[in-house]
């Protein structure tokens, strides 16, 4: 069976193997007496029970006693242990999730005591830990880098971690820095504040006045962001159960409210940039409204690259010979081979040319959400709107699925992002993009031709309002 990789980013702790992503769970825990909710369940009640909600048990991993301990968790480490067990349960409920070996990809801010505690927690879990690797180095190793330095930028709940990786024949971690200015929760609160102000101004309804409406606002935020990034503006509707309120919001207003935070991140990156430096954003940072455009506009020299959200898993699996330890004490690996254009272990013998991480466009070519991102997929003579964040291509017809003639199983997934759309192929799917075989995630632009199973053509297009 394949070995699993657990990516310890509290914004979404992930587990997957060479074939696929298996499960993801945000670092939330709600402990109320003998009641313990974890992951998405805890997040869905976080605003209802803020005093009982914990979101720092990974970033501040320790054996400290909780402020309000309960019979199911007395320490911070107890919550981390429960979260790992819950994630493992989600993964092993999948038909392909039965392996008992795990490599941990760990953020660079973990100190020695936290790494030792993590391994101690893992020893109590129903799997065997066989490796520890720096998360940022593994992500850069997925596609390698030209000689110089890479500033890997990773979004977490309470901080943005910036890891400087020197690229030569090897990729070596040099420095780890962080900033709270662009923590994902901080950015989320800023966006929620702007939206709440709009509701107060236009409807005199304050959604933050009651916990229930505040929770609904946070629950709706992800879907609203997709609409704003796709269309440039959106009508946001909040149903409180008693009434429904609507406000119109522009994407640019959101970016402008976030700009001071982005500028703080930019200044930190500028200070850390030395010589030939590339800035590589993880998928969560790249999806933030207007961040890529802002960085391109404020940074004169470092180029900005966007990595796919499977980069950590791919990089770890590509370097198992350096990461995996059998029957010996685990070492925290912060140096890996620089394998430019690695295309996953499964396709390492492919004759396809290597494809580096996708560079972001320079300021003069920076796309806007309303004009250059594909809005529809053209299948035959029908245009299918890209309304949701994720669209499954192939398989039984239903919500969130585009059924294809003669195809009973999913062949790929389309993910809507700020700068475009991304295609994630399923294992063994036969997909060409403009005549080139697709073996891993690729970004699609308007007019790209996608050929599925040698007979079905999909084309991303832009349909302008009123056209």
């Amino acid at each position: 069976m394949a070995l699993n990789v657990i990516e310890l980013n509290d914004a979404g702790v992930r587990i997957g193997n060479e074939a696929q992503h298996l499960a993801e769970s945000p670092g939330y825990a709600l402990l109320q007496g003998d009641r313990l909710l974890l992951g998405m369940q805890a997040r869905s009640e976080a605003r209802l029970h803020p005093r009982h909600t914990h979101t720092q048990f990974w970033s501040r991993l320790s054996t400290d006693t909780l402020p309000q301990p309960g019979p199911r968790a007395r320490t911070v480490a107890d919550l981390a242990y429960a979260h790992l067990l819950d994630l493992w349960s989600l993964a092993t409920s999948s038909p392909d999730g039965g392996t008992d070996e795990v490599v941990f990809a760990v953020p660079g801010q973990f100190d020695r005591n936290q790494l030792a505690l993590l391994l101690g927690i893992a020893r109590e879990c129903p799997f065997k830990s066989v490796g520890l690797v720096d998360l940022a180095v593994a992500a850069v190793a997925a596609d390698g880098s030209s000689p110089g330095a890479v500033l890997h930028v990773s979004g977490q709940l309470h901080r943005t971690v910036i890891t400087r990786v020197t690229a030569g024949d090897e990729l070596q971690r040099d420095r780890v820095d962080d900033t709270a200015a662009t923590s994902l929760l901080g950015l989320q609160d800023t966006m929620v504040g702007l939206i709440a102000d709009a509701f107060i101004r236009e409807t005199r309804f304050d959604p933050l006045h009651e916990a229930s409406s505040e929770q609904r606002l946070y629950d709706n935020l992800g879907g609203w962001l997709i609409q704003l990034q796709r269309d440039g503006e959106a009508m946001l509707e909040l149903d409180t159960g008693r009434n429904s309120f609507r406000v119109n919001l522009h994407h640019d207003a959101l970016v402008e409210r976030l700009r001071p935070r982005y500028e703080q991140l930019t200044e930190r990156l500028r200070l850390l940039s030395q010589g030939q430096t590339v800035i590589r954003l993880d998928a969560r940072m790249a999806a933030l409204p207007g961040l890529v455009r802002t960085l391109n506009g404020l940074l004169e020299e470092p180029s900005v690259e966007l990595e796919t959200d499977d980069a950590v898993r791919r990089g770890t699996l590509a370097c198992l010979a350096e990461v995996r330890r059998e029957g010996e004490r685990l070492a925290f690996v912060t140096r890996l081979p620089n394998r430019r254009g690695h295309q996953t272990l499964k396709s390492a013998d492919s004759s396809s040319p290597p494809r580096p991480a996708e560079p972001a466009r320079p300021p003069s070519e920076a796309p806007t959400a309303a004009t250059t991102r594909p809005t529809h997929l053209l299948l035959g003579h029908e245009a299918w709107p890209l309304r949701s964040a994720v669209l499954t291509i192939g398989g039984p017809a239903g919500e969130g699925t585009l059924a294809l003639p003669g195809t009973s199983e999913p062949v790929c997934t389309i993910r809507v992002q700020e700068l475009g759309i991304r295609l994630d192929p399923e294992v063994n799917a036969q997909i060409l993009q403009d005549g080139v075989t697709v073996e891993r995630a690729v970004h699609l632009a308007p007019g790209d031709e996608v050929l599925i199973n040698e007979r079905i053509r999909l084309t991303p297009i832009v349909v302008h309002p009123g056209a």
Side-chain angles (χ1 to χ4, degrees):
M1 291 184 177
L3 177 144
N4 280 343
V5 177
I6 293 181
E7 180 183 341
L8 278 182
N9 182 329
D10 58 9
V13 181
R14 294 171 173 165
I15 182 169
N17 54 35
E18 183 184 1
Q20 62 182 324
H21 164 81
L22 294 172
E24 181 172 342
S25 178
Y28 280 71
L30 195 157
L31 180 63
Q32 195 174 29
D34 61 356
R35 181 172 178 249
L36 177 61
L37 300 181
L38 298 159
M40 291 295 293
Q41 285 186 316
R43 190 169 72 178
S44 69
E45 296 189 23
R47 300 290 158 175
L48 304 178
H49 309 287
R51 291 186 178 181
H52 301 282
T53 298
H54 302 268
T55 59
Q56 299 193 58
F57 54 89
W58 283 120
S59 60
R60 296 187 177 180
L61 183 62
S62 70
T63 56
D64 292 348
T65 302
L66 294 168
Q68 294 179 315
R72 299 184 64 181
R74 298 194 60 80
T75 69
V76 175
D78 289 338
L79 293 180
Y81 171 66
H83 193 219
L84 270 186
L85 287 182
D86 188 63
L87 179 71
W88 185 254
S89 176
L90 292 173
T92 53
S93 65
S94 166
D96 297 321
T99 182
D100 63 352
E101 291 189 337
V102 160
V103 170
F104 284 97
V106 185
Q109 80 271 14
F110 270 46
D111 60 30
R112 290 188 177 184
N113 291 333
Q114 290 177 312
L115 291 172
L117 181 55
L118 170 62
L119 292 178
I121 293 170
R123 278 194 290 271
E124 302 301 317
C125 294
F127 52 74
K128 180 181 178 182
S129 302
V130 296
L132 276 176
V133 64
D134 182 271
L135 184 150
V137 177
V140 176
D143 297 296
S145 175
S146 301
V150 178
L151 291 181
H152 183 270
V153 185
S154 177
Q156 299 183 10
L157 290 182
H158 296 277
R159 69 184 81 189
T160 298
V161 178
I162 306 169
T163 305
R164 183 179 172 88
V165 179
T166 299
D169 292 336
E170 292 185 317
L171 301 166
Q172 181 174 349
R173 189 185 78 180
D174 284 344
R175 176 175 176 175
V176 180
D177 200 18
D178 66 73
T179 174
T182 46
S183 69
L184 295 180
L185 286 184
L187 294 170
Q188 185 182 72
D189 290 344
T190 298
M191 292 185 281
V192 163
L194 173 68
I195 294 171
D197 289 346
F199 274 106
I200 294 171
R201 184 173 59 254
E202 296 185 26
T203 70
R204 296 189 177 182
F205 167 67
D206 182 0
L208 303 184
H209 182 67
E210 294 184 1
S212 58
S213 57
E214 181 181 357
Q215 183 67 58
R216 285 191 174 92
L217 195 158
Y218 275 86
D219 290 343
N220 289 344
L221 181 61
W224 288 342
L225 290 179
I226 292 170
Q227 294 180 51
L228 286 165
Q229 292 173 359
R230 183 187 63 219
D231 301 330
E233 65 177 313
M235 183 64 68
L236 313 184
E237 182 172 1
L238 185 64
D239 186 352
T240 67
R242 299 186 300 271
N243 297 289
S244 182
F245 300 91
R246 303 176 74 192
V247 296
N248 189 67
L249 191 69
H250 287 261
H251 181 264
D252 289 346
L254 201 61
V255 175
E256 190 60 29
R257 179 66 68 94
L258 293 172
R259 186 177 177 85
R261 289 180 175 269
Y262 290 168
E263 289 175 343
Q264 292 182 59
L265 174 63
T266 303
E267 186 58 31
R268 186 66 62 90
L269 293 172
R270 185 180 288 117
L271 291 173
L272 293 172
S273 298
Q274 298 175 6
Q276 186 176 356
T277 304
V278 169
I279 294 171
R280 191 170 295 184
L281 303 180
D282 75 0
R284 292 186 179 93
M285 296 300 291
L288 291 171
L291 176 59
V292 175
R293 284 207 311 264
T294 302
L295 289 178
N296 275 324
L298 295 176
L299 290 171
E300 296 178 0
E301 186 162 333
S303 62
V304 180
E305 295 180 350
L306 315 180
E307 72 181 26
T308 59
D309 60 5
D310 63 349
V312 173
R313 174 164 54 92
R314 287 192 295 112
T316 301
L317 292 171
C319 300
L320 278 183
E322 291 76 22
V323 174
R324 193 175 186 276
R325 299 287 187 271
E326 183 63 41
E328 57 183 287
R329 185 176 179 179
L330 298 187
F332 186 37
V333 177
T334 59
R335 179 185 302 195
L336 292 173
N338 187 7
R339 306 178 181 183
R340 280 298 304 262
H342 179 79
Q343 296 185 5
T344 76
L345 295 177
K346 195 166 190 177
S347 60
D349 296 329
S350 170
S351 59
S352 300
R355 301 180 65 172
E358 177 176 337
R361 305 183 188 199
S364 61
E365 297 177 274
T368 62
T371 58
T372 60
R373 183 192 303 107
T375 62
H376 292 66
L377 285 179
L378 186 64
L379 173 61
H381 299 290
E382 292 187 82
W384 295 82
L386 294 167
R387 293 199 179 101
S388 60
V390 179
L391 178 66
T392 300
I393 306 298
E399 184 176 356
T401 299
L402 173 57
L404 300 178
T407 304
S408 59
E409 299 292 333
V411 293
C412 64
T413 301
I414 299 293
R415 300 180 187 276
V416 178
Q417 300 178 322
E418 181 188 358
L419 297 184
I421 61 175
R422 199 186 76 217
L423 183 151
D424 294 324
E426 295 292 333
V427 178
N428 297 327
Q430 298 180 18
I431 303 175
L432 299 179
Q433 178 194 21
D434 292 335
V436 178
T437 301
V438 175
E439 296 176 324
R440 62 181 181 86
V442 295
H443 288 81
L444 302 179
D448 284 354
E449 183 179 90
V450 178
L451 182 64
I452 298 174
N453 295 340
E454 300 182 344
R455 57 188 178 82
I456 301 172
R457 297 183 188 276
L458 284 177
T459 305
I461 61 173
V462 176
V463 177
H464 297 283

